[in-house]
Amino acid sequence: MSSQPPMLAADLAEIAERGRALILSLQDAGGAYPASPTFSAYRGYSWLRDGSFIADAMSSAGEVASASAFFDWCARTLVARAPEIHRIVAAARAGAPVPDGEMLPTRFTFDGGSGDADWWDFQLDGYGLWLWAALTHAERHSLDVGPWRRAIELTVDYLASSWDRPCYDWWEEHIEEVHVSTVGSVEAGLRAAAASTALDDDRRALAADTAAAAARLVRERGTADGHLVKWLGSTAVDASLAALIAPLGVVAGDSATGRATLAELERQLVVDGGTHRFATDTYYGGGQWPLLSCFVGLAHVSAGNTARARELLDWAAGTERASGSMPEQVADHLIDPSYVDEWVERWGDSADPLLWSYAMFLRLGVELGVVTR
Ligand code: BGC
């Protein structure tokens, strides 16, 4: 339980509006959302994961053109890589999958390039997330997905050919594992594609069959003691699992698995409303992430507990700096403070602002009715 008095809805709305304005002002002319305009390791790149959730938040807040511009950018970026995607899909279908280093990247420069810096690049979740976010946006605002159809088809083929490969997780770690949040992100995207009348019957069936296989894998190997786990065979949890409940909706908030997962996340990872990524996190000492408290809040809304969601939104509100920016993480409760210095030496202070943080605040604000669309 939070010991702080509740914040005023008007103050929460103001924070969300600052977030909306910052995201609009930093969106690249070509549609890409930068992860962070200032942080040394992220500057100049747009992630499919961050960007898809930012676009979903903007879409839910009524920023139709901004979200569409991001999906236009995704579509252009992916169609430009069609030959690469055909090669990856053909190799997988022939039983000789390409090595991890030849799979599609996790983040792109604003012109759709791969950039020069080495990164933990092979991650599948963002490909499912852009499908989910784009198709949800189109549904929400009755838009024609024609301009994105080719990119959606390429993405369905890519995911269907490779969805169960081990790859880096949301936090760009553990390439040797199959991560439940990644599989759930892919399932969400493929489910959305399976329901889209813009695709032909064969591709819809491919998307539906692959989504069903992903759901089966999570059901059979992705739980322990009734709750979702960090990766297949693990017993630990990870805060990214909250997203599978909401906004992705692949696990119902009021199902036994949904409830058990939320209870375990609260028990292991949420301290005074602030949410850690996972119990052994040491990145910048392993602080608390406002965007994750908002994901846990969205999951609570889906389970019917809006009071708890509001407490989590209030906690996230308290992470905004006086300068008007919301960081990636705050250091009030660190898992292991001895790791802070080495990260600061490597990359400087942790990311601030992080657009994804403000976006999740906005998304939960909309869900709780403190932000008008
Ligand atoms: C996080 C990723 C995120 C990236 C850009 C990394 O530190 O682990 O989840 O996509 O930053 O915000």
Side-chain angles (χ1 to χ4, degrees), residues 19 24 29 53 58 97 102 106 133 146 154 207 249 267 270 283 287 308 360:
L24 285 175
F53 284 121
M58 294 299 270
E102 291 173 27
T106 292
L154 287 165
R267 194 177 73 76
V270 187
Y283 183 54
R308 179 59 180 152
M360 296 318 299

Side-chain angles (χ1 to χ4, degrees), residues 64-98:
V64 182
S66 170
S68 290
F70 175 74
F71 300 127
D72 289 344
W73 174 80
C74 293
R76 277 199 313 280
T77 299
L78 294 174
V79 169
R81 290 174 186 258
E84 206 175 324
I85 298 174
H86 290 318
R87 194 175 68 79
I88 293 169
V89 171
R93 285 184 182 157
V98 304

Side-chain angles (χ1 to χ4, degrees), residues 35-36 39 42 47 49-50 106 119 123 169-172 277 283 289 328 347 354 356:
S36 170
F39 183 56
Y42 305 170
W47 269 252
R49 171 177 45 254
D50 300 39
T106 292
W119 199 254
Q123 301 172 28
D169 66 3
W170 276 36
W171 316 129
E172 318 189 287
R277 297 193 299 179
Y283 183 54
W289 289 47
E328 178 179 75
W347 284 346
L354 187 85
W356 189 13

Side-chain angles (χ1 to χ4, degrees), residues 118 146 150 199 214 223 260 302 316 368:
D118 279 346
R150 186 73 200 111
L199 301 188
T223 62
S302 134
L368 288 174

Side-chain angles (χ1 to χ4, degrees), residues 24-215:
L24 285 175
S25 72
L26 292 174
Q27 184 169 20
D28 186 68
Y33 292 118
S36 170
T38 45
F39 183 56
S40 66
Y42 305 170
R43 198 171 41 219
Y45 287 90
S46 180
W47 269 252
L48 284 182
R49 171 177 45 254
D50 300 39
S52 298
F53 284 121
I54 296 167
D56 177 62
M58 294 299 270
S59 167
S60 75
E63 297 294 342
V64 182
S66 170
S68 290
F70 175 74
F71 300 127
D72 289 344
W73 174 80
C74 293
R76 277 199 313 280
T77 299
L78 294 174
V79 169
R81 290 174 186 258
E84 206 175 324
I85 298 174
H86 290 318
R87 194 175 68 79
I88 293 169
V89 171
R93 285 184 182 157
V98 304
D100 292 347
E102 291 173 27
M103 296 296 282
L104 296 174
T106 292
R107 60 180 202 166
F108 300 89
T109 52
F110 302 157
D111 61 2
S114 306
D116 305 325
D118 279 346
W119 199 254
W120 296 269
D121 246 331
F122 175 35
Q123 301 172 28
L124 289 165
D125 62 279
Y127 290 87
L129 293 172
W130 105 265
L131 284 184
W132 163 80
L135 290 164
T136 303
H137 172 61
E139 177 83 25
R140 186 185 280 131
H141 297 290
S142 308
L143 305 174
D144 170 24
V145 300
W148 310 326
R149 182 186 296 115
R150 186 73 200 111
I152 292 171
E153 291 169 350
L154 287 165
T155 308
V156 168
D157 292 352
Y158 178 68
L159 290 174
S161 76
S162 307
W163 67 277
D164 55 353
R165 283 179 69 145
C167 66
Y168 290 114
D169 66 3
W170 276 36
W171 316 129
E172 318 189 287
E173 296 183 350
H174 295 289
I175 194 170
E176 69 285 0
E177 305 293 350
V178 175
H179 301 276
V180 173
S181 300
T182 300
V183 177
S185 302
V186 168
E187 183 192 339
L190 290 174
R191 269 197 197 188
S196 171
T197 48
L199 301 188
D200 64 36
D201 289 349
D202 287 352
R203 252 208 201 72
R204 291 174 64 182
L206 179 65
D209 291 350
T210 312

